[in-house]
Amino acid sequence: MLKVHHWLPTSTIVLLAAAFTLPASVESVVEHLWQAEQQRRGQSLFNGKILSAVEISPQRILGRVLEYRHLIAQRARPELFDVLRVRPVAVSGVFECADGIVFGRRAGTMTQDAGLWELVPSGGIDTSEVPDGAEVDYRAQILTELHEEIGIGSDSVASIRPFCLVDDLDSHVLDIGLMMESPLSASAVLKIHREAATRDYDELRVVDRAEVDGFIQGEASQLVGVSAILIQQFRQFQHPCATRF
């Protein structure tokens, strides 16, 4: 189930300084599940850092940094959420170029939602360079994702505006929705993506705004749920002066 929260253009993300510790018994379970996942995938997984929300409001998210293995353990044993409370924070863009909105089909090699269509770009938030108590620049993160996923640089983005926060009550992932406008044509977007040869999407489509409903209906069973919600919310905030706060 997906729930939409208010998220103001001035809203912030702030890192808490409190350390995250677990009882020894829970830590043992987490490590066991992590080792099992490594064996299942047949490759070494990188235990990186993720941003997890502790408290959310229309004005800000208070977050802390957890290890990726905590998320893996919670996915394997959903009941661990009561103890781990992993709520990953991500960014998802509605990238609109001169000819329409950009959708990408996730490559078959992706570990999650392979083969499904979604809005481009999207990804987790890197906090490796953010000190405790400081704000996280999530707008910079969406620009990083745009470049890494389809090769488009920040100089081709005319504006960025956050407009909602989507809360997946099943996976506990929070996605900040951001409008992104670019003067690039559809052909330029597709050309840049081909030349960048990135691995996230095996196909891009630029869908005219008037044809988005038809695209979504045609790909309804192959569209990531968060993207469908973001499009609905985007329509309410597509004009700079529009507001519901």
Side-chain angles (χ1 to χ4, degrees):
M1 179 183 296
L2 299 174
K3 180 179 180 180
V4 178
H5 298 278
H6 294 301
W7 187 253
L8 299 168
T10 55
S11 296
T12 59
I13 302 175
V14 178
L15 284 186
L16 295 172
F20 181 66
T21 58
L22 291 171
S25 59
V26 178
E27 178 61 38
S28 177
V29 171
V30 168
E31 184 60 24
H32 173 76
L33 293 170
W34 172 249
Q35 295 294 334
E37 183 67 10
Q38 286 185 312
Q39 293 179 8
R40 186 186 71 82
R41 295 195 190 184
Q43 60 183 355
S44 178
L45 295 179
F46 176 64
N47 183 31
K49 305 296 184 181
I50 62 172
L51 174 63
S52 177
V54 175
E55 178 183 314
I56 66 171
S57 73
Q59 289 76 34
R60 67 176 181 176
I61 290 175
L62 295 179
R64 62 186 175 193
V65 177
L66 301 182
E67 297 178 38
Y68 182 57
R69 67 193 185 99
H70 294 136
L71 177 59
I72 289 295
Q74 183 173 285
R75 286 177 175 172
R77 297 266 299 275
E79 67 273 16
L80 286 174
F81 177 73
D82 293 338
V83 179
L84 299 177
R85 308 296 295 180
V86 183
R87 302 182 72 189
V89 183
V91 287
S92 289
V94 180
F95 184 69
E96 186 171 22
C97 68
D99 298 312
I101 296 172
V102 181
F103 289 83
R105 186 173 64 192
R106 293 175 63 84
T109 55
M110 302 297 285
T111 58
Q112 186 175 350
D113 296 329
L116 299 186
W117 290 91
E118 70 176 359
L119 291 163
V120 177
S122 65
I125 296 178
D126 181 11
T127 58
S128 59
E129 302 297 325
V130 183
D132 291 342
E135 287 189 16
V136 177
D137 189 350
Y138 60 89
R139 290 175 177 82
Q141 186 67 52
I142 199 70
L143 290 172
T144 297
E145 296 297 329
L146 182 68
H147 185 259
E148 291 180 350
E149 292 180 0
I150 61 175
I152 294 176
S154 60
D155 57 343
S156 294
V157 179
S159 65
I160 302 174
R161 185 171 184 263
F163 63 97
C164 74
L165 181 64
V166 180
D167 188 355
D168 189 326
L169 301 180
D170 297 317
S171 70
H172 306 293
V173 175
L174 294 161
D175 277 278
I176 300 172
L178 298 105
M179 304 176 189
M180 308 176 73
E181 293 183 333
S182 172
L184 292 174
S185 66
S187 59
V189 169
L190 298 179
K191 181 175 184 290
I192 291 170
H193 178 240
R194 284 195 304 271
E195 293 177 348
T198 58
R199 300 179 180 179
D200 295 85
Y201 302 106
D202 57 22
E203 182 181 350
L204 289 189
R205 287 189 195 174
V206 179
V207 182
D208 184 272
R209 203 184 266 209
E211 299 174 357
V212 167
D213 282 342
F215 174 78
I216 291 176
Q217 290 170 10
E219 304 290 348
S221 64
Q222 300 296 318
L223 185 68
V224 173
V226 170
S227 291
I229 294 295
L230 286 173
I231 283 293
Q232 293 176 10
Q233 296 300 308
F234 169 72
R235 289 190 173 113
Q236 298 182 40
F237 291 89
Q238 56 190 315
H239 300 295
C241 293
T243 180
R244 64 173 182 177
F245 303 116

